[in-house]
Amino acid sequence: MLELAVLGLLHETSMHGYELRKRLTQLLGAFRAAFSYGSLYPTLKRLKDSGYIAEDAGDPNEPVPPLTGKRGRIVYKLTAEGKERFADLLAQAGPETYEDSGFGVHFAFFSRLDQAQRLRILEGRRRRIEERREGLRETLTRSVERLDAYSLELQRHGLDACEREVRWLNELIASEQSGRPPSVTTVGGFVPPEPQAPSVHEPSEDPDAHRE
């Protein structure tokens, strides 16, 4: 799924490796825990070797951000083959897209899918979360007398999270079926601005730099 996320971001614009790290965090939000960022550069190398992305040495006069090493100037860009690969991966709507990591990445690029594909993934995800919810209910029913108060609260917290996600998915499915885009969620009364790609001059620590 990291491959899909990287190809999708590079489909929007070329980026440095440390920019990709930041955009992955911004894009995936709560689902980013499903990835190991230590695997980013090996993934980039594999994509390059496969011909899906290309490297540009960048401007030699451009300042290199601290702690980014030689990679600081490298710019990654999508090739024509990479665009085809991204479209193929995104169109896959099997059971893996219902799991946390698969769903999060596909949902981040939902605007590039058609309505039927979006509905198939949303309905599959809802079934998966409903199964998880029923499992938690069973656990609570069977274990209520054996678990201590904190363990019970942890189970209830998981159940509440499932209930909230099912409601959210129901709303999204209803929006798709009606042909309307989902309503924009406001934070503190304000509509959040569109995320912006970080400036290429913005310093950022790259823990992989010492591997150079």
Side-chain angles (χ1 to χ4, degrees):
M1 287 302 167
L2 184 55
E3 177 183 352
L4 173 59
V6 168
L7 292 175
L9 288 173
L10 292 180
H11 197 287
E12 299 172 359
T13 185
S14 301
M15 296 185 202
H16 294 111
Y18 67 88
E19 288 181 284
L20 274 168
R21 290 168 60 90
K22 288 184 177 180
R23 289 288 288 119
L24 283 167
T25 299
Q26 293 172 353
L27 185 71
L28 299 179
F31 294 98
R32 65 180 180 269
F35 295 105
S36 166
Y37 290 122
S39 62
L40 175 58
Y41 285 105
T43 298
L44 288 170
K45 182 180 185 306
R46 180 168 52 81
L47 292 174
K48 176 178 176 292
D49 292 343
S50 300
Y52 298 141
I53 65 174
E55 291 182 357
D56 188 330
D59 184 355
N61 297 316
E62 180 183 344
V64 178
L67 303 178
T68 58
K70 295 178 181 178
R71 292 179 176 142
R73 285 198 179 97
I74 296 176
V75 176
Y76 299 94
K77 54 183 63 177
L78 204 61
T79 64
E81 292 81 1
K83 291 179 180 179
E84 292 179 4
R85 175 64 173 167
F86 171 65
D88 290 343
L89 290 174
L90 191 61
Q92 296 174 11
E96 70 278 0
T97 64
Y98 312 153
E99 304 298 338
D100 291 348
S101 60
F103 176 74
V105 177
H106 276 76
F107 191 79
F109 300 110
F110 248 31
S111 61
R112 297 181 180 274
L113 295 174
D114 61 38
Q115 183 191 44
Q117 291 171 315
R118 291 194 296 265
L119 274 171
R120 187 159 60 249
I121 293 173
L122 289 171
E123 289 170 348
R125 174 66 175 179
R126 181 173 62 182
R127 288 194 299 272
R128 189 57 45 84
I129 298 302
E130 286 174 339
E131 291 169 1
R132 188 180 300 175
R133 179 186 63 186
E134 294 312 307
L136 285 168
R137 283 176 174 168
E138 271 189 45
T139 299
L140 275 170
T141 301
R142 293 196 315 266
S143 309
V144 66
E145 294 181 356
R146 299 198 309 270
L147 296 177
D148 61 41
Y150 296 103
S151 297
L152 282 172
E153 280 305 307
L154 185 61
Q155 294 294 321
R156 290 194 183 101
H157 174 71
L159 182 57
D160 288 344
C162 289
E163 295 282 9
R164 287 193 300 271
E165 185 165 352
V166 168
R167 288 195 297 270
W168 175 65
L169 290 166
N170 285 338
E171 292 171 1
L172 289 172
I173 290 169
S175 293
E176 289 292 337
Q177 291 172 335
S178 67
R180 301 190 314 269
S183 58
V184 177
T185 302
T186 60
V187 180
F190 296 95
V191 177
E194 292 293 325
Q196 299 295 319
S199 166
V200 296
H201 298 292
E202 182 179 340
S204 177
E205 182 178 347
D206 183 349
D208 296 298
H210 70 277
R211 298 179 184 171
E212 295 295 341

